[in-house]
Amino acid sequence: MAASIALKTFVGLRHSSQETNSAITLSNPAASPYRRRTQFRISASKSSPRVTGRNLRVAVIGGGPAGGCAAETLAKGGIETFLIERKMDNCKPCGGAIPLCMVGEFDLPLDIIDRRVTKMKMISPSNVAVDIGRTLKPHEYIGMVRREVLDAYLRDRAATAGATVINGLFLKMDLPQSKTAPYVLHYTDYNSKTGGSGEKKTLEVDAIIGADGANSRVAKGINAGDYEYAIAFQERIKIPNEKMKYYEDLAEMYVGDDVSPDFYGWVFPKCDHVAVGTGTVTHKGDIKKLQVATRLRARDKIQGGKIIRVEAHPIPEHPRPRRVLDRVALVGDAAGYVTKCSGEGIYFAAKSGRMCAEAIVEGSENGKRTVDESDLRVYLEKWDKTYWPTYKVLDILQKVFYRSNPAREAFVEMCADEYVQKMTFDSYLYKRVVPGNPLDDLKLAFNTIGSLVRANALTREMEKLNL
């Protein structure tokens, strides 16, 4: 989150436009989805055939924030909706931080938020700690949730809206033989009374939303291409009550080659325990060693704790080369919507699921017409237009500040600046980048350069002492 300080010259995070545009931009599937693209036109699909005798059928594969929000929006929009999720109690190794705007935008009840974090500590490779949060207003906070609680709530809300929730494992899909033929989904149904092995079933649908995570089978089914991914490793640790008080409204982020050569380690508070974790793209084989280092950095504050759960999961590092094909669209982690530097994905998963579903509802005229690729590309165009600057900025920040320990020391020093903190929290909590004060921006640039120079000089002196 702290890396969201970003470059404020980018026109930023804003709510997607409600206007529809029949000029849709396509890109070469082999190219990066966020590069500048050659434009040509696809006609809108308002002349698509009407669905007779029923409403449009859409399957959502995956029941995380992306899938839950997509299914709810579809069901409310008159679509016959099926949500397939294998692990109803899934505990994804996720820090669980959500921005304040998500609580209101997605109408989340406050009782699913374990902690309201109003203070953060950024801790440098040399263990210099900087307190962050001085600029927060009394009502502002970062919400901390457990994924198993949030995901279940969103799935239940989708079911209440009319979606059919299936406890099942998606296996594969048969592609349609014509523009109006259905997709045939093959899955193992665990709702039936056939024991632990489940029952093999099929389901015919008109369109599919793949919200099934980084190892998406839906993505494989449309040859969406691969992406680089990080491994996130997390331990949930039950610590003594007197130590838990320290983390009542505080989270910690550790940076340094010891905890991760390209990411950060964290200690995030949950309802009655803390989540301690780290992640890496470049040193996946060393993830357990990096986790041990993270625990060592926080040892005084978690001493006496008991590990109650261990979790690991891949996290995408950039969007897939292809995110839409025919009547299939990818959202959330399946599409690659996790930000560099901060590793944030929950809000973007929920938002992409909702945006994709809205495009289907609109294109199908509330389930009365069929949809095609042009309808799904409306979602893709809006997404890229709204969030491309965020992903680009955080990619740059990661390359600048996570490349070495001196750069990380400079990053932590920079986080002590109140102007940086204000811009960081404004962009993170409300998913918008507000214009900065030009004079303060200039001062920030000089201070950043100065921090980098001092950190490099200090490192050279330390290397001399170690010779």
Side-chain angles (χ1 to χ4, degrees), residues 112-144:
I112 71 169
I113 299 173
D114 288 337
R115 301 279 176 176
R116 300 186 190 185
V117 168
T118 57
K119 296 178 288 187
M120 294 192 70
K121 282 188 181 292
M122 284 290 299
I123 303 169
S124 78
S126 62
N127 280 325
V128 173
V130 168
D131 293 321
I132 301 175
R134 299 190 301 272
T135 63
L136 286 178
K137 298 179 178 66
H139 70 281
E140 293 179 328
Y141 62 89
I142 299 169
M144 291 291 171

Side-chain angles (χ1 to χ4, degrees), residues 91-124:
C91 301
K92 184 178 176 181
C94 170
I98 61 171
L100 181 62
C101 67
M102 184 174 179
V103 178
E105 186 176 347
F106 290 87
D107 196 22
L108 300 179
L110 296 181
D111 60 1
I112 71 169
I113 299 173
D114 288 337
R115 301 279 176 176
R116 300 186 190 185
V117 168
T118 57
K119 296 178 288 187
M120 294 192 70
K121 282 188 181 292
M122 284 290 299
I123 303 169
S124 78

Side-chain angles (χ1 to χ4, degrees), residues 328-359:
V328 180
L330 303 177
V331 296
D333 281 15
Y337 297 151
V338 176
T339 58
K340 287 284 191 75
C341 210
S342 65
E344 183 190 2
I346 296 177
Y347 174 83
F348 295 110
K351 187 70 173 180
S352 63
R354 177 179 282 183
M355 288 175 67
C356 183
E358 287 172 343

